Amino acid sequence: MYVLNTWYVAAWSSEVTRKPVKRTICEQPIVLFRTQDGTAVALADRCAHRAFPLSEGRTIGDSIECGYHGFTYGADGMCTKVPAQSTIPERAKVRKYPLVEKDGWIWAWTGDPELADPADVPDTHWMNDPEWATVTHSVHFACRADLIHDNLLDLTHESFLHKTTVGDDYIYEHGITVEVQGSVVSVDRLMPSVAAPPLYAETMDARGLFDRFHCTEFFVPNLHVLHSGITGEGKPRAEGYLIKVLNGITPIDEHNSWYYYAFSRNFALDDAQATKDLHVGLETVLREDADALQAQELGMQSRPAGEFDVLIAQDGGVAKARRILATLIKREQAAAAQPVAGAKA
């Protein structure tokens, strides 16, 4: 089950052109394309005629033409042309999804369109800020989105899974502070007087001891913003090498997810080698996560009924986020079960 009344990252802005692009979000097939003036459009990827994917068709003007029998739909989802006849059936229309294009991402609203508020899209301005340099990746994860959320809220796995890049044993030796504000869960960890991890040491040329920190803000259920970095021992975080890691997690179905990743830094902005090293190193991190979570997904599918995770103190953020997610789903289900005003019993 998914939270539907929220914004999910559907694609990078650069991925959506005049050529139709197929996406599946929360088991809903969606086609994305741009109109002639560059406006991004998202429609249900299923022709009203015989359910052929519109993503297999082409754009004509501001419309999309089905590649099977030529039914044509405008940007509002209404059919404007049926080549085989002059009249257009009343039911010849497809769902239009609300979209927000911001900071290089295109966000789609998968629930009740009347509830879609662009102001609810989280802040990701670092990707589009000239004071920050950004490396990006997109990865298909063969696992449910919940496992990615857990992974990002419990970063002690870095000590074991990412030893050559961002990991070190001292991570799990330091505790966390968990805060909740509405549907945002923050998990903060300070690691004082430690060496920079290998990837940071190379790209920052950071030698000696530093205070390392990371604070994951989880905007349940769609985005994690990791405020991370290193600073001088005892110095304020704002004076250090700062990193904002943006993790857009979009469910495809119950066993697959899209992971949209951006790593923004406030140092070595014009250092092409640092950017290259980070691109390669972070791709390694993401691939290690993807492989581990795929294995975990298979383990979850074969786990006996009634057997559950054994949570520890480091899972404080995980536990709180799970409760919020469950509450949001339960609330949506309750609202959907309410009778429509004026409907006959």
Side-chain angles (χ1 to χ4, degrees), residues 171-184:
I171 296 174
Y172 62 79
E173 294 172 352
H174 292 86
I176 57 173
T177 301
V178 181
E179 295 184 359
V180 177
Q181 291 187 337
S183 60
V184 180

Side-chain angles (χ1 to χ4, degrees), residues 172-232:
Y172 62 79
E173 294 172 352
H174 292 86
I176 57 173
T177 301
V178 181
E179 295 184 359
V180 177
Q181 291 187 337
S183 60
V184 180
V185 178
S186 298
V187 180
D188 189 273
R189 187 191 314 271
L190 174 63
M191 296 154 279
S193 300
V194 300
L199 186 59
Y200 291 7
E202 292 301 321
T203 57
M204 302 174 189
D205 193 24
R207 314 298 171 183
L209 298 181
F210 300 85
D211 286 354
R212 183 181 176 188
F213 53 89
H214 46 59
C215 177
T216 299
E217 278 189 298
F218 180 22
F219 296 81
V220 183
N222 51 14
L223 178 75
H224 296 254
V225 178
L226 175 59
H227 307 273
S228 180
I230 61 173
T231 190

Side-chain angles (χ1 to χ4, degrees), residues 4-339:
L4 298 179
N5 287 323
T6 193
W7 297 97
Y8 288 110
V9 179
W12 294 97
S13 291
S14 58
E15 292 181 294
V16 180
T17 63
R18 293 283 290 154
K19 183 178 179 179
V21 175
K22 180 181 180 65
R23 285 289 185 272
T24 300
I25 304 176
C26 299
E27 301 183 31
Q28 301 177 32
I30 297 173
V31 59
L32 298 152
F33 64 94
R34 292 190 186 275
T35 59
Q36 295 174 99
D37 67 0
T39 302
V41 175
L43 303 176
D45 191 22
R46 185 171 48 246
C47 181
H49 181 215
R50 292 187 187 167
F52 190 77
L54 293 177
S55 56
E56 296 294 325
R58 60 173 181 164
T59 55
I60 300 177
D62 290 340
S63 301
I64 186 167
E65 178 190 79
C66 178
Y68 195 17
H69 295 98
F71 277 56
T72 303
Y73 301 88
D76 60 358
M78 302 300 296
C79 182
T80 59
K81 181 180 179 182
V82 178
Q85 63 184 45
S86 59
T87 58
I88 298 175
E90 184 178 345
R91 294 190 298 113
K93 56 186 177 182
V94 297
R95 177 179 176 180
K96 176 182 174 63
Y97 289 83
L99 288 185
V100 170
E101 187 164 5
K102 180 181 177 183
D103 301 325
W105 273 339
I106 294 178
W107 300 76
W109 181 273
T110 52
D112 182 351
E114 295 297 322
L115 301 178
D117 183 353
D120 292 336
V121 174
D123 179 20
T124 58
H125 75 273
W126 301 278
M127 293 193 294
N128 200 36
D129 188 328
E131 297 300 316
W132 296 75
T134 300
V135 170
T136 65
H137 287 285
S138 300
V139 184
H140 168 253
F141 273 47
C143 71
R144 65 197 71 181
D146 292 350
L147 299 187
I148 307 177
H149 298 320
D150 291 352
N151 185 69
L152 290 166
L153 289 168
D154 176 15
L155 292 177
T156 58
H157 75 273
E158 290 183 344
S159 298
F160 308 94
L161 203 59
H162 307 312
K163 287 182 177 293
T164 65
T165 51
V166 296
D168 197 292
D169 285 348
Y170 60 67
I171 296 174
Y172 62 79
E173 294 172 352
H174 292 86
I176 57 173
T177 301
V178 181
E179 295 184 359
V180 177
Q181 291 187 337
S183 60
V184 180
V185 178
S186 298
V187 180
D188 189 273
R189 187 191 314 271
L190 174 63
M191 296 154 279
S193 300
V194 300
L199 186 59
Y200 291 7
E202 292 301 321
T203 57
M204 302 174 189
D205 193 24
R207 314 298 171 183
L209 298 181
F210 300 85
D211 286 354
R212 183 181 176 188
F213 53 89
H214 46 59
C215 177
T216 299
E217 278 189 298
F218 180 22
F219 296 81
V220 183
N222 51 14
L223 178 75
H224 296 254
V225 178
L226 175 59
H227 307 273
S228 180
I230 61 173
T231 190
E233 294 177 280
K235 298 293 185 180
R237 295 186 183 187
E239 295 181 4
Y241 295 98
L242 302 182
I243 299 163
K244 306 294 183 181
V245 187
L246 310 173
N247 309 268
I249 312 304
T250 301
I252 297 173
D253 56 35
E254 62 178 337
H255 301 306
N256 294 274
S257 307
W258 272 112
Y259 194 137
Y260 298 94
Y261 177 93
F263 181 101
S264 299
R265 66 186 192 273
N266 74 340
F267 57 90
L269 301 186
D270 300 317
D271 189 332
Q273 187 60 49
T275 297
K276 181 179 179 180
D277 291 344
L278 283 167
H279 190 274
V280 173
L282 295 169
E283 186 175 34
T284 299
V285 171
L286 287 169
R287 181 45 52 198
E288 290 169 341
D289 279 336
D291 290 345
L293 296 191
Q294 181 177 9
Q296 186 183 4
E297 173 66 36
L298 295 174
M300 298 286 279
Q301 292 179 38
S302 63
R303 187 159 68 175
E307 186 175 306
F308 304 101
D309 292 351
V310 178
L311 299 186
I312 61 174
Q314 294 276 6
D315 294 311
V318 171
K320 292 182 184 299
R322 287 181 180 181
R323 285 196 289 270
I324 293 172
L325 187 60
T327 298
L328 292 175
I329 291 174
K330 185 176 180 180
R331 187 182 303 162
E332 282 193 9
Q333 290 178 328
Q338 293 293 321

